[in-house]
Amino acid sequence: MNYLPPLCAALILSLLLAAAVAVQAQNRRAAIEYVARGTAKMDANDLDGALADFTHAVELDRNYGASYFSRGLVRRRLSDLDGSISDFTKSIQLNPIAEAYLDRGAALKDKGDREGAIADYTKAIELNEKYADAYYNRGIALDDKGDHDLAIADFTRAIELNPQLARAFVGRGFARMQKGNAVGALADYNKALELNPQSALAYFNRSFVWKARGDLDRAISDLTKDIELARRDEAAYLERGIVRGAKGDLDGAIADFGKVIELNPGNAKAYANRGVISLMQARDSAAQDDFDRAFKLDNSLRPQIQKVADGILKGRRKI
């Protein structure tokens, strides 16, 4: 029987281990290069190219957490939420950093799992108690849940940690408005716009403060600024149409509701509101066409629209 002396066998084993370690190190270096290349592609908005590079990095080294984390980011941008969550979970298993919990929380929120998102944001804060973005994201999720006081506390903490975080002022302003604190909301929106004059959402949200105060001109001005910054913001066109209608600018309202329908032909509220304005202009046939389309898309609007229409027709008979 042939056999190797113990010393020789140990030497061969040592050489094999060294070779395996060398291959592993080589694969790690290559994976790092692919992650860097994929990141550059993602920054250039070449999402498919970035996905291919990150996937290759994963195949080269399945124990390199950054590959999974990066692929999770691009998968979320590609709306592959399940794939994104899976990658962030693997990244956390390999390297439980606060950023991975933050981004998995964002993907969970996109998927509708608000409680899961809050849990992940909380874990991110436990790992990094000075993580302003985690407080901000948790504030958004809490506000969506209706926990406005807790949301305000998180937005305030985010602002304390990063006083330049304009979106945290927008978030706190919205939460304050939900609590009926219009003065505090206005101050927050003003500060957000001081920090970031390009914040379309701040203009949109501030318009509701002006509307609540009866200052329709300022409301329209803010909605117009929102539209200039985000030209496909159908919510801004819809709201501006409503405010224009309230101010008596019926043609302007019709134009805005028409723009909403152009952007989204399935927006039932745009048809319903345009129908109301057409009825106010005594264009009954056009109004009926819009009502029919609105009710076909969302029949729950019928009682409210019927009540408004009856009021318009009743007022017309009095004249």
Side-chain angles (χ1 to χ4, degrees), residues 3-50:
Y3 69 92
L4 292 173
L7 184 59
C8 186
L11 178 59
I12 291 173
L13 180 60
S14 176
L15 290 172
L16 289 173
L17 288 172
V21 169
V23 170
Q24 186 179 32
Q26 183 180 0
N27 287 345
R28 174 61 60 90
R29 287 193 296 272
I32 291 171
E33 290 176 3
Y34 271 101
V35 168
R37 193 169 78 170
T39 300
K41 288 179 179 178
M42 187 165 61
D43 290 343
N45 209 34
D46 178 9
L47 301 185
D48 290 331

Side-chain angles (χ1 to χ4, degrees), residues 28-209:
R28 174 61 60 90
R29 287 193 296 272
I32 291 171
E33 290 176 3
Y34 271 101
V35 168
R37 193 169 78 170
T39 300
K41 288 179 179 178
M42 187 165 61
D43 290 343
N45 209 34
D46 178 9
L47 301 185
D48 290 331
L51 179 62
D53 280 346
F54 295 144
T55 297
H56 194 56
V58 167
E59 292 167 350
L60 284 166
D61 187 346
R62 296 192 177 276
N63 293 311
Y64 184 39
S67 301
Y68 294 98
F69 176 75
S70 299
R71 192 170 68 175
L73 291 175
V74 77
R75 279 180 162 172
R76 183 177 174 228
R77 286 178 62 177
L78 287 167
S79 300
D80 177 9
L81 297 181
D82 289 331
S84 177
I85 291 166
S86 176
D87 275 343
F88 288 135
T89 299
K90 184 63 176 178
S91 173
I92 288 167
Q93 291 169 353
L94 292 168
N95 185 19
I97 58 174
E99 289 78 5
Y101 279 104
L102 178 79
D103 285 293
R104 188 176 71 174
L108 287 168
K109 184 175 183 295
D110 290 345
K111 197 169 164 56
D113 183 1
R114 187 189 300 120
E115 295 301 330
I118 291 171
D120 270 357
Y121 298 145
T122 300
K123 184 63 179 179
I125 290 167
E126 290 173 1
L127 291 169
N128 180 3
E129 62 181 15
K130 294 186 178 181
Y131 199 178
D133 284 343
Y135 285 102
Y136 167 77
N137 279 20
R138 191 172 69 174
I140 292 291
L142 288 168
D143 199 50
D144 287 347
K145 188 182 175 184
D147 291 337
H148 305 305
D149 289 328
L150 292 176
I152 289 168
D154 270 354
F155 292 132
T156 299
R157 182 58 178 152
I159 290 165
E160 290 170 352
L161 292 167
N162 183 2
Q164 302 303 307
L165 194 61
R167 64 181 182 274
F169 285 99
V170 176
R172 191 173 68 178
F174 186 80
R176 282 177 162 173
M177 194 66 180
Q178 301 306 301
K179 291 281 293 180
N181 182 4
V183 173
L186 180 60
D188 276 342
Y189 296 144
N190 288 342
K191 183 62 177 180
L193 288 167
E194 176 188 322
L195 293 169
N196 179 16
Q198 303 303 305
S199 175
L201 184 58
Y203 283 109
F204 180 77
N205 285 358
R206 193 173 68 174
S207 74
F208 288 89
V209 178

Side-chain angles (χ1 to χ4, degrees), residues 200 203-229 235-253 256:
Y203 283 109
F204 180 77
N205 285 358
R206 193 173 68 174
S207 74
F208 288 89
V209 178
W210 301 131
K211 182 181 173 182
R213 291 185 168 190
D215 193 340
L216 301 186
D217 287 329
R218 279 186 170 176
I220 291 170
S221 176
D222 273 357
L223 290 165
T224 300
K225 187 63 178 178
D226 174 355
I227 289 166
E228 290 171 358
L229 293 167
Y237 280 107
L238 182 68
E239 181 61 23
R240 191 175 69 175
I242 292 170
V243 178
R244 279 177 162 174
K247 194 173 185 295
D249 179 8
L250 303 188
D251 290 337
D256 276 342

